[in-house]
Amino acid sequence: MKSMNEKEEHWQDENIMKARAEAASAAEAVGTMEFAGEKARKPSLIYLAVKRTVDVVGSLVGLILCSPVFLVVAVAIKREDGGPILHRRYCAGRNDREYIMYKFRSMKVNADNMLDMFTEEQREQYLSGVKLEDDPRITKVGKFIRATSIDELPQLISVLKGDMSIIGPRPVIEREAQAYGADREKLLSVRSGITGVWQVEGRGEVPFLSEEAKQMQLSYIDKRGFVYDCQLLFKTIGLVLKRKGAR
């Protein structure tokens, strides 16, 4: 049985999460949102409605059209080592609601136990959020689906469920969200995206947890709109076709 202290700590954690969610909901009711004392423009309800409609229709159509690709990749992953087809990652979501992000598994089953295989340089790059050039944890199938960004396709499931958006900041786990400090609330005020500013401007080049990358992520929240979303989407398509930045 839990001790009284453990029960009290759990109750406090639940109240904190509830308070954060209520504060975020209240902020959405006004014309501006305030984060760490800094006001940010709130997008119009029309933009939010259209964006969600595009997310639902786009993810549904994408899942249907890509179903043959899903089947081929699933068979290839299973045949290579017999491990799980999907990788599930628990991410910090909009308004502090945790969600599961899905990707095709591109790493070996025991990847978490292979960190001791890193060279000193690779270890430093890994800890700073840099994608490794020659990661020993990646499978043969994984190298291909990463280079072509096919590993990202299952994220369409999260978009359809409403946990993510097609365009938005890169998904983060709670440890990464905490690295944003006072800007954590701002980062989690919107849905994470399959693609966004960091994925287009800094993917593979700018360490994910660097100050530059954080500013890229946060800048989307200030600039988001119909035109900006379209620009990011078209840039993403160009990068995918060129296989630029994916590792």
Side-chain angles (χ1 to χ4, degrees):
M1 294 179 65
K2 290 185 177 180
S3 66
M4 290 296 293
N5 286 338
E6 288 177 326
K7 288 182 177 179
E8 184 177 349
E9 288 177 0
H10 181 68
W11 177 80
Q12 289 175 343
D13 288 342
E14 285 187 336
N15 278 346
I16 290 172
M17 295 290 282
K18 183 178 179 182
R20 283 176 172 173
E22 289 176 350
S25 298
E28 290 182 352
V30 298
T32 61
M33 297 178 290
E34 187 170 321
F35 307 102
E38 180 180 334
K39 290 186 177 181
R41 177 183 60 84
K42 179 188 172 185
S44 69
L45 292 178
I46 295 177
Y47 164 75
L48 294 175
V50 172
K51 183 178 176 66
R52 182 57 192 149
T53 301
V54 171
D55 282 343
V56 172
V57 175
S59 59
L60 188 58
V61 172
L63 286 169
I64 294 173
L65 294 179
C66 293
S67 55
V69 178
F70 273 63
L71 179 60
V72 172
V73 174
V75 171
I77 292 174
K78 205 67 178 177
R79 286 189 62 181
E80 181 168 4
D81 60 13
I85 295 170
L86 294 177
H87 168 67
R88 295 171 175 81
R89 194 176 195 194
Y90 291 85
C91 295
R94 180 170 175 260
N95 296 343
D96 272 306
R97 294 183 178 90
E98 186 181 68
Y99 70 93
I100 300 176
M101 182 190 74
Y102 302 93
K103 295 180 72 173
F104 279 124
R105 181 175 62 85
S106 60
M107 291 190 175
K108 297 175 182 178
V109 177
N110 61 337
D112 291 338
N113 300 321
M114 296 176 64
L115 301 184
D116 56 345
M117 295 179 62
F118 285 171
T119 64
E120 190 62 35
E121 182 182 358
Q122 286 177 324
R123 187 179 295 275
E124 290 179 4
Q125 291 177 330
Y126 173 76
L127 293 175
S128 66
V130 175
K131 287 195 174 185
L132 305 182
E133 287 283 356
D134 189 20
D135 194 330
R137 301 171 298 166
I138 300 177
T139 64
K140 293 179 180 178
V141 174
K143 288 181 179 179
F144 175 75
I145 61 177
R146 281 190 169 210
T148 55
S149 296
I150 291 176
D151 64 317
E152 310 276 358
L153 290 179
Q155 292 181 45
L156 291 170
I157 298 172
S158 298
V159 174
L160 185 61
K161 290 171 60 179
D163 295 327
M164 292 179 62
S165 178
I166 294 175
I167 308 292
R170 179 187 183 276
V172 293
I173 58 176
E174 181 56 36
R175 174 178 59 81
E176 294 168 337
Q178 292 291 347
Y180 280 74
D183 288 320
R184 177 187 179 280
E185 183 184 356
K186 181 176 182 179
L187 177 70
L188 300 183
S189 67
V190 300
R191 292 185 178 92
S192 302
I194 295 179
T195 187
V197 183
W198 178 82
Q199 295 93 319
V200 168
E201 303 293 343
R203 187 182 185 188
E205 304 295 334
V206 180
F208 177 58
L209 291 179
S210 67
E211 287 305 314
E212 183 181 359
K214 292 176 186 177
Q215 291 307 310
M216 286 182 178
Q217 293 270 76
L218 295 170
S219 69
Y220 172 76
I221 300 167
D222 297 320
K223 298 179 181 178
R224 56 182 168 156
F226 293 115
V227 175
Y228 193 52
D229 283 0
C230 288
Q231 289 175 341
L232 291 173
L233 181 60
F234 289 133
K235 285 183 179 180
T236 299
I237 294 173
L239 291 174
V240 170
L241 293 177
K242 295 177 183 177
R243 297 190 183 183
K244 185 178 179 181
R247 294 175 186 170

